[in-house]
Amino acid sequence: MVTPKSAAHPLCKGLLLRTSWSKLEPRRGRYDFSDIDRQIEVAERSARDPKSLAFSLAISAGLGGGPQGANYPAWLIDEGVETMPIQFRREEGLVPKMWDPLFQKRLKNLADAVSQKFAKDKRLKLVYVPQATANGVEGHFNGNSNAVLARNGLTQDVWVGAVKQAAISFADSFDDCAIAVEVHEVLGSPQIPMRILNELYEDPKYRDQIGAGMWWISGGMKYQPALVEALKKYPGDIYGQIIGNSSQPHRFGDRSGDFTAVYRQAMELDVRYLEAWNFEFDYNTQNQNIENFNKYAHQKYELGVANPPVPTFTKPELTSRGTSRGPRDFQGMRRRPPR
């Protein structure tokens, strides 16, 4: 989340604005940007230098799994967009078929409207492609039967074509921004997300604009190891988000609890930047490590240093005020943070 502490933190170089299609366009063609505006206002009010802020933007177009219902607007279904049943976090629901031509048309309209909103704000640097998936940004249907997905029309070619079309729509609308397609294995295969990325990279018009999003950097190799290996060979840009916060040791380093493994994995994958959870900035849990990673990324990706010095990372004690007080301080944070 965008919080006052994270926006004011000297090591936080940018903020992720997260919202849903249903909030942005509650009625067809009638746009409401108040959710984005509110987050920007929090950031501007707290930041040391509001003009130097950078933003990335993620709009969910999927099931969502939240108490407010689906993240795509209900009027899509009323208009006749085809749907299919999926489960997300043990909740059943319907998501639009992303390959439905009407869905793609309305998604392009959304891209145009949001780009016009941000046309004069050069602080927006990166936009994630909305996907009609479980959480609506990440490209997965985790927890769903491949057979059920296939029966509803989801095939390799269909999914590759739909995600590519959406990525191109956003790239054409946001011609001054980087675009990221968040990738997961689909139908149990790393080939599907890699086809999307590689085919977009092979198009010279989009090669330098559209890259990969990886919202599950953990420093481990037990989750989607084939896709991790494929991404190591991917020649395009990769943008990363850490899979959780540092109060969840079971999620890092294949359950070794070594949170610092995420930085080393990010460097191995040639990830341009990391989105850390606001927890790290609110509680100052990773200051030295974040500073070291920032210096490395700045040298490599902004200054163009081919082989910058490899930083060291230390495993700090879990603490909110600079001293170790044990896990009870973070009982409320140990569950997976909401997305």
Side-chain angles (χ1 to χ4, degrees):
M1 295 183 293
V2 174
T3 63
K5 285 185 177 181
S6 61
H9 201 290
L11 296 176
C12 183
K13 301 300 183 182
L15 297 156
L16 171 64
L17 309 172
R18 296 182 303 141
T19 189
S20 66
W21 189 353
S22 59
K23 290 179 180 178
L24 294 182
E25 194 179 5
R27 289 184 290 172
R28 195 186 92 186
R30 301 292 295 272
Y31 297 97
D32 180 356
F33 297 109
S34 59
D35 189 47
I36 298 177
D37 291 337
R38 176 187 57 79
Q39 295 176 64
I40 293 176
E41 287 170 7
V42 170
E44 289 180 331
R45 190 166 57 245
S46 306
R48 301 183 181 200
D49 182 6
K51 293 182 179 180
S52 70
L53 287 173
F55 296 111
S56 55
L57 175 64
I59 303 169
S60 173
L63 196 57
Q68 297 180 344
N71 287 171
Y72 60 87
W75 55 260
L76 279 175
I77 312 305
D78 297 336
E79 259 199 326
V81 172
E82 292 189 37
T83 62
M84 64 180 181
I86 67 166
Q87 291 187 346
F88 182 46
R89 296 177 185 168
R90 300 181 181 179
E91 296 288 334
E92 294 186 356
L94 298 173
V95 291
K97 292 183 177 180
M98 194 164 174
W99 54 94
D100 185 301
L102 184 55
F103 176 88
Q104 291 284 345
K105 180 178 180 180
R106 299 306 181 215
L107 190 64
K108 173 58 177 171
N109 292 344
L110 175 71
D112 290 341
V114 179
S115 69
Q116 290 174 16
K117 161 72 175 179
F118 282 100
K120 296 182 180 180
D121 194 337
K122 301 304 180 183
R123 296 175 300 180
L124 182 64
K125 305 297 184 182
L126 172 69
V127 178
Y128 289 96
V129 177
Q131 300 188 62
T133 54
N135 81 348
V137 178
E138 298 180 23
H140 71 75
F141 297 94
N142 290 355
N144 290 274
S145 163
N146 292 341
V148 172
L149 295 173
R151 282 200 299 271
N152 280 277
L154 196 155
T155 67
Q156 181 172 144
D157 289 342
V158 160
W159 189 249
V160 170
V163 177
K164 282 177 57 182
Q165 183 177 348
I168 289 171
S169 290
F170 272 77
D172 288 344
S173 295
F174 291 88
D175 54 2
D176 289 332
C177 287
I179 304 296
V181 179
E182 205 289 332
V183 291
H184 275 68
E185 293 181 2
V186 177
L187 299 177
S189 170
Q191 296 177 353
I192 295 177
M194 293 313 300
R195 264 193 63 189
I196 294 168
L197 296 178
N198 288 326
E199 289 180 16
L200 286 168
Y201 184 81
E202 289 167 3
D203 188 330
K205 182 177 180 181
Y206 302 107
R207 175 177 299 162
D208 295 329
Q209 184 183 12
I210 302 177
M214 185 181 176
W215 274 19
W216 41 281
I217 293 180
S218 69
M221 287 294 294
K222 288 188 176 179
Y223 181 54
Q224 303 188 113
L227 185 52
V228 174
E229 291 297 334
L231 285 169
K232 290 179 182 179
K233 303 174 184 177
Y234 171 59
D237 296 328
I238 303 179
Y239 307 93
Q241 185 180 103
I242 300 172
I243 198 169
N245 69 61
S246 60
S247 74
Q248 305 164 319
H250 62 284
R251 307 190 74 180
F252 301 103
D254 290 334
R255 298 186 179 274
S256 70
D258 185 2
F259 184 88
T260 65
V262 302
Y263 305 110
R264 292 185 287 273
Q265 187 173 57
M267 291 189 297
E268 183 181 13
L269 288 164
D270 208 20
V271 169
R272 297 183 66 87
Y273 89 137
L274 280 175
E275 292 169 1
W277 292 88
N278 60 284
F279 178 89
E280 316 307 338
F281 301 103
D282 291 347
Y283 294 98
N284 293 295
T285 62
Q286 293 283 319
N287 284 0
Q288 189 60 59
N289 290 329
I290 291 174
E291 183 176 3
N292 290 346
F293 182 84
N294 279 352
K295 288 180 178 178
Y296 170 86
H298 175 75
Q299 287 182 304
K300 185 165 185 177
Y301 301 112
E302 190 162 4
L303 300 182
V305 178
N307 295 296
V310 177
T312 58
F313 303 102
T314 58
K315 188 177 179 181
E317 293 182 90
L318 187 63
T319 172
S320 63
R321 296 191 178 98
T323 57
S324 179
R325 301 177 62 188
R328 291 183 181 178
D329 293 334
F330 300 100
Q331 284 181 350
M333 298 294 294
R334 288 192 178 279
R335 63 186 182 276
R336 180 182 176 92
R339 287 192 171 176

